[in-house]
Amino acid sequence: MKYIIVGAVAGGASAAARLRRLDEHAEIIIFEKGEYISYANCGLPYYIGDVIKDRNKLFVQTASAFNKRFNIDVRVMTEVTNIDPLNHTITAINHATGELYEEKYDKLILSPGAEPLRPPLPGIMSEGIFTLRNVNDTDFIKAYIQEKKVKTVLIIGAGFIGLEMAENFFGLGLNVTIIEMGNQILAPIDFPIAAIAQHHIRSKGVSLLLNTGVTGFSKNGDQILVTVNNGAELQADMVLLSIGVRPDTRLALQAGLKIGSSKGIWVNEYLQTSEPDIYAVGDAIEFENPITNRSMITYLAGPANKQGRICADNVVLGNARSYHGSINTAIVKVFDMTVGTTGTASKHLSAANINHIVSTTHNGSHAAYYPDVKQMTIQIAFSPKNGQLLSAQIAGYDGVDKRLDILSSFITQKKTIYELIEFEQAYAPQYSSAKDPVNMAGFVAENILLERLNIFYWNEVENIKVDGVLVDVRRKDEFEAGHITSSINIPVDEIRSRLNELTKEQNIYIYCEAGLRGYLAQRILKQHGFRKVKNLSGGYQLWKICAEEFGLVSQ
């Protein structure tokens, strides 16, 4: 058998190595249009920021090492320009020599990846405007900073790469401004968790401009002038475009392969394209989201590597393994903070008409009495019908990755919040609490489902002010330090003796700092005959950050 793989890095290289382990005698050729076949794409920002100082550490495998270990013909700087599915041939050009030639295949695997978006704005091709996708981009950016003695940088787009680059540029001592067209950073997550991260970014002195679109670029000497949609003009030594990527489907289109509704290469459950002898993996493919059942594309290294392995099994063994999709588990370091997401965000569940409940909890990263405990905020979404966990998002400082992985596992296995309650973690005060933040998220969700807890959300407060009474159940000193306008203060420890200040006919909306005291107050009131009582999910601290970021109150 002769297998040809187009594109290396994550999906293609994984598929090639797996093919060899399954078939020692097959002929395997990898075509890679770039110089490198397997490198740590996610490490590129940290090399630019001098966190990773040795450039060689970015390379997982070199072409020669890959050839020596796996006996695979690796052809770098060689681009496949044409596929003929009928005759089972590809046409390739060696960019080093200019040679154009054909190769036959029995099975073909496409792993072309994605390409960064560079919209046709005036001046966008000017010197000093970069995208970051590969090692060459990294080298150009790093050299430009040094040669031009860059002091100020504008990052356009506040996705994962944009935020990682903001941190690394900031670490180099550069003045950083982030411009984002949307009303929040990190589009895959919901606004409350994004707001927490935005607040942290601003606290570092980084300028964050939301709801701001770029309309064009021009040069003033070595300076780049960036015009935005409100007519303002910003100036910087360098610009990084981080406004997203799109699947590279050019070869697939040329070959007549089916393109799906999300504009990626359509594949079936076996990662097989519309041509039976052509398979595809990685950033260029689309597949069914296991939560929404809608077609989606994911640009993550983890799924691409797993797809490569499954695809190789199917190519050699004959469609033996199904790919079950990705729930888009992702994590990012945002300066000192860590933000993670898994499953389908509430806003996307709503768009897919999936009924769900959102709950937000705040807990310490480990036992409160052990030194250096750090707060983390967990938001989960779950089904009101059976409690099935649909998504989880976390913002915090320590232990975010551990909790995110637990929640990702539960979502993948279609587990419920009831099973979350029973999750048994490794407990010692340095690492957790006897009731872990994951358990606490489950406890609160169970209370909601059992109607022991009725909640309202930060963005409903404005309507509530004319709909009922807003009660702050924190201590008097906390209330005086800052509270929601028009709320009254009845501390939870005094509420039994002050029931006469409330009426059972009115809607009562309670809040405390994080949610626990509000829940206790609600339980007291309900058992004294007050039926129309709700508690603010996430408490005052989440409301304050969200209201500030949304522009409802001054920062």
Side-chain angles (χ1 to χ4, degrees), residues 226-240:
V226 181
T227 307
V228 296
N229 53 3
N230 64 4
E233 195 171 64
L234 307 173
Q235 186 169 288
D237 299 320
M238 190 177 84
V239 171
L240 178 73

Side-chain angles (χ1 to χ4, degrees), residues 264-291:
I265 302 171
W266 177 90
V267 292
N268 63 17
E269 63 181 302
Y270 303 110
L271 300 169
Q272 188 177 36
T273 71
S274 53
E275 284 288 337
D277 290 327
I278 302 178
Y279 291 71
V281 299
D283 295 352
I285 72 168
E286 65 175 72
F287 48 83
E288 188 176 276
N289 182 294
I291 297 171

Side-chain angles (χ1 to χ4, degrees), residues 332-437:
V332 61
K333 184 175 180 291
V334 184
F335 295 89
D336 304 323
M337 180 171 276
T338 301
V339 179
T341 178
T342 183
T344 303
S346 173
K347 59 187 175 184
H348 298 137
L349 290 171
S350 296
N353 296 314
I354 296 174
N355 196 16
H356 64 284
I357 298 170
V358 173
S359 174
T360 304
T361 51
H362 308 285
N363 294 101
S365 55
H366 58 248
Y369 60 83
Y370 193 83
D372 299 323
V373 64
K374 300 286 174 51
Q375 181 179 270
M376 69 172 65
T377 299
I378 299 180
Q379 175 191 289
I380 61 172
F382 53 94
S383 166
K385 182 178 178 180
N386 59 9
Q388 181 183 333
L389 196 61
L390 302 172
S391 73
Q393 298 169 20
I394 310 178
Y397 298 88
D398 291 334
V400 170
D401 55 337
K402 177 170 74 170
R403 276 68 180 210
L404 190 72
D405 288 343
I406 293 164
L407 293 161
S408 171
S409 175
F410 272 61
I411 294 168
T412 300
Q413 298 174 66
K414 300 186 183 301
K415 290 184 179 293
T416 70
I417 57 96
Y418 301 109
E419 291 161 298
L420 206 59
I421 290 168
E422 298 178 4
F423 172 74
E424 185 176 345
Q425 82 281 14
Y427 165 59
Q430 305 94 321
Y431 306 107
S432 181
S433 297
K435 291 184 286 190
D436 189 81

